[in-house]
Amino acid sequence: MSKKKRIGILTAGGDSPGLNAAIRGFGKAAIGHHNMELVGFREGIRGMALNQTVPIDSATLSGILTVGGTILGTSRDKPHKMDVGNGKEDMIPTILKNCEANGLDGVVMIGGGGTAKNANRLSKAGLNVIHLPKTIDNDIAHTDTSFGFSTALGIATDAIDRLHSTAHSHHRIIVVEIMGHKAGWLALGSGIAGGADIILLPEIPYSIDSVAASISKRAKGGHPFSVVAIAEGAREISDAADYAAAQALIDGASNADAKAAAKKHRSMLEAAHRGNALKLAEQLEAATGLEARVTVLGYVQRGGTPNAEDRLLGTLLGGAGADFVAEGKYGITVAAKGQSAKAVPLKDVAGNLKTVPKDHPWVSAARHVGTCLGD
């Protein structure tokens, strides 16, 4: 008889609807279909470094499909520079030793783009790894979608629906900030579905004059209210140019010190641009004469019960991941492709971002119904 495979599993990065569905999907397929043993790591990658484990069996997986968050806990630690004691340490050698001591044949890492990069680092170091794509931002490369996005899309859409009532009743501009630092999928999708009058994305730098003109035109046409859906990372044209210049300095840095200085400059710009929704509301109020208010959805978008689509996707990708592990296929992301799953090399996913193309059908749909995108 062949040796029973023993697999570690963890969740990393921000929490997201569908994490428990993916744990369950992988776990049930691994235990029940492939006769594997599972070991959970608590608090993400930190759990691997500190060897914080918990056994996972069928009883552990029972009843978690509909539960939000993650039964394993999570963190944003990086294996190659983890906060330990008074400084940062490369914990990759320790992680490899702990995985060996636990008798693991491989590890399943469930998380977003940052987790894909960390999984790739560990894969290069010799660990058998597969990655399951999670994020409400829908920005992971080479997968059609990721679990968490659909639920967050519904939450943000519902919020915009509700804010229309206040905007209409008080003749106000309502600016609603939606998650998405570098990719605007969530703001775009919920903005279209919720009927936002203006949608502002990181991919399309906006002009205050253009947004104000759109709102004023609506007011003159008998609609003295507007709902503006803005992604966290959306920037005015001048701010976007500054950020692009800072990124160019990083890309062109000739040595480590120059790169560090350029990254510090970029971080300062990012800090200065936080709170764009409040700034935008003040600018629009001054430009249009209409009262403006701001709603920041924040972590509300990430919490709560996953919807049917995310439960289905987590189960699909989790089960497919167990099949890939059984085949000995590692160093991959289990990507959603149509109605099925596909193994994509981690090296192609790590460090790449799926942003909204300016000619994407959703962008065209928004423009066709008269939505202002600020350009």
Side-chain angles (χ1 to χ4, degrees), residues 153-154 156-158 160-161 164 186-196 199 362 366 369 371:
L153 184 66
T157 299
D158 184 62
I160 293 172
D161 287 348
H164 268 292
L186 192 55
L188 178 60
S190 61
I192 294 171
I199 301 173
W362 288 9
V369 295
T371 306

Side-chain angles (χ1 to χ4, degrees), residues 55 91 102 147 153 156 167 191 204 225 253 274 280 296 309 331 354 371:
M91 299 298 288
N102 281 293
F147 47 88
L153 184 66
I204 304 176
F225 66 94
R274 289 193 188 109
L280 176 64
V296 178
E309 186 172 354
K354 182 179 72 177
T371 306

Side-chain angles (χ1 to χ4, degrees), residues 169-214:
S169 298
H170 292 272
H171 296 172
R172 284 176 177 164
I173 300 167
I174 298 290
V175 178
V176 54
E177 183 183 278
I178 296 166
M179 281 186 167
H181 283 291
K182 295 181 179 179
W185 295 105
L186 192 55
L188 178 60
S190 61
I192 294 171
D197 306 296
I198 294 99
I199 301 173
L200 305 178
L201 310 175
E203 296 88 347
I204 304 176
Y206 64 87
S207 159
I208 287 293
D209 291 340
S210 175
V211 177
S214 178

Side-chain angles (χ1 to χ4, degrees), residues 23-316:
I23 294 170
R24 175 183 177 273
F26 180 87
K28 280 186 170 287
I31 295 169
H33 191 65
H34 294 295
N35 194 32
M36 298 178 191
E37 292 181 355
L38 287 193
V39 176
F41 287 105
R42 295 189 180 277
E43 315 307 331
I45 292 170
R46 177 164 290 270
M48 281 203 292
L50 301 181
N51 202 28
Q52 297 175 332
T53 64
V54 57
I56 294 180
D57 56 17
S58 296
T60 311
L61 301 172
S62 178
I64 68 170
L65 176 64
T66 62
V67 178
T70 163
I71 60 168
L72 293 174
T74 186
S75 69
R76 294 187 182 275
D77 292 284
K78 299 176 181 179
H80 62 303
K81 48 181 179 180
M82 187 176 295
D83 287 319
V84 180
N86 296 321
K88 294 184 182 294
E89 292 186 25
D90 181 359
M91 299 298 288
I92 292 178
T94 301
I95 287 171
L96 296 179
K97 288 178 182 177
N98 287 340
C99 288
E100 184 178 2
N102 281 293
L104 300 183
D105 297 290
V107 175
V108 178
M109 299 177 65
I110 308 175
T115 303
K117 288 194 285 188
N118 290 328
N120 193 46
R121 290 185 181 104
L122 292 170
S123 179
K124 287 180 178 179
L127 189 65
N128 289 331
V129 181
I130 73 165
H131 166 240
L132 299 183
K134 167 274 329 172
T135 176
I136 70 168
D137 292 335
N138 194 34
D139 60 357
I140 300 175
H142 302 294
T143 183
D144 290 349
T145 188
S146 52
F147 47 88
F149 175 67
S150 179
T151 302
L153 184 66
I155 292 168
T157 299
D158 184 62
I160 293 172
D161 287 348
R162 293 172 185 275
L163 290 168
H164 268 292
S165 299
T166 295
H168 182 271
S169 298
H170 292 272
H171 296 172
R172 284 176 177 164
I173 300 167
I174 298 290
V175 178
V176 54
E177 183 183 278
I178 296 166
M179 281 186 167
H181 283 291
K182 295 181 179 179
W185 295 105
L186 192 55
L188 178 60
S190 61
I192 294 171
D197 306 296
I198 294 99
I199 301 173
L200 305 178
L201 310 175
E203 296 88 347
I204 304 176
Y206 64 87
S207 159
I208 287 293
D209 291 340
S210 175
V211 177
S214 178
I215 291 172
S216 295
K217 182 179 179 181
R218 282 178 47 77
K220 290 176 183 177
H223 303 286
F225 66 94
S226 292
V227 174
V228 181
I230 178 173
E232 288 172 314
R235 293 183 174 88
E236 288 184 72
I237 292 171
S238 60
D239 290 342
D242 290 343
Y243 189 85
Q247 186 61 51
L249 287 175
I250 294 171
D251 296 339
S254 58
N255 56 61
D257 289 341
K259 187 178 286 288
K263 285 184 175 180
K264 184 176 181 180
H265 174 58
R266 184 184 65 181
S267 295
M268 291 173 64
L269 287 176
E270 289 176 338
H273 295 157
R274 289 193 188 109
N276 271 358
L278 291 170
K279 177 184 174 184
L280 176 64
E282 292 171 355
Q283 291 171 318
L284 292 179
E285 195 168 90
T288 65
L290 294 172
E291 193 175 31
R293 292 289 185 271
V294 175
T295 295
V296 178
L297 297 186
Y299 294 125
V300 169
Q301 296 158 97
R302 291 204 328 215
T305 301
N307 68 8
E309 186 172 354
D310 280 334
R311 296 180 204 179
L312 177 59
L313 185 61
T315 303
L316 171 71

